[in-house]
Amino acid sequence: MGTKNILAYFHAPEEAQAMADRLKGMGAEEVSVDTFSLTPGEAVDGTVNPLTGEVTSLAGLTLDTPVSSRSTGILLAAHPSASGMSDGGEGEPSGRNIVLTAIVPDGIHQQALKQIEEAGGLV
């Protein structure tokens, strides 16, 4: 029997974990719950001094965000909130930033999708 992959997005980690436990009980082979955010990577320790030119990126100054690499700094500087030309967008993503990943047998795939949607997940 084959397997199918599922990616589902939730508002809260508790919702996703409850669904992960349910999928394991149904016979899912692999299930994981992770969080993603607007600012990836680990924080960089260091003093930012705009007068001396020691600035990690525009995002470090305008979003008060620790930037872990040059590439991350460039990507974050492109965000509308970094330029000051937006309405704010305070804090972390306000939508579905919890992702449930599962590998399920073909036989339970449709049932699993239905239960995820009933639990408030977005497939």
Side-chain angles (χ1 to χ4, degrees):
M1 182 182 282
T3 58
K4 299 255 184 177
N5 301 324
I6 297 175
L7 287 176
Y9 302 90
F10 290 86
H11 290 289
E14 298 81 20
E15 293 173 345
Q17 191 58 55
M19 192 66 236
D21 294 340
R22 193 178 318 169
L23 289 174
K24 287 177 189 173
M26 292 171 60
E29 294 179 16
E30 293 287 330
V31 181
S32 69
V33 175
D34 296 297
T35 303
F36 58 92
S37 72
L38 180 64
T39 55
E42 297 293 320
V44 176
D45 292 331
T47 305
V48 175
N49 186 345
L51 296 176
T52 61
E54 296 176 17
V55 178
T56 57
S57 82
L58 175 66
L61 289 173
T62 59
L63 299 176
D64 192 29
T65 301
V67 178
S68 60
S69 72
R70 179 170 162 73
S71 298
T72 302
I74 292 168
L75 182 62
L76 289 172
H79 191 277
S81 295
S83 69
M85 299 298 289
S86 74
D87 64 353
E90 300 289 323
E92 294 294 312
S94 58
R96 300 173 192 262
N97 66 323
I98 311 298
V99 62
L100 177 142
T101 308
I103 300 173
V104 299
D106 282 336
I108 67 165
H109 183 250
Q110 290 302 319
Q111 180 185 4
L113 292 176
K114 183 178 178 183
Q115 287 196 17
I116 290 169
E117 289 174 351
E118 289 174 356
L122 177 66
V123 180

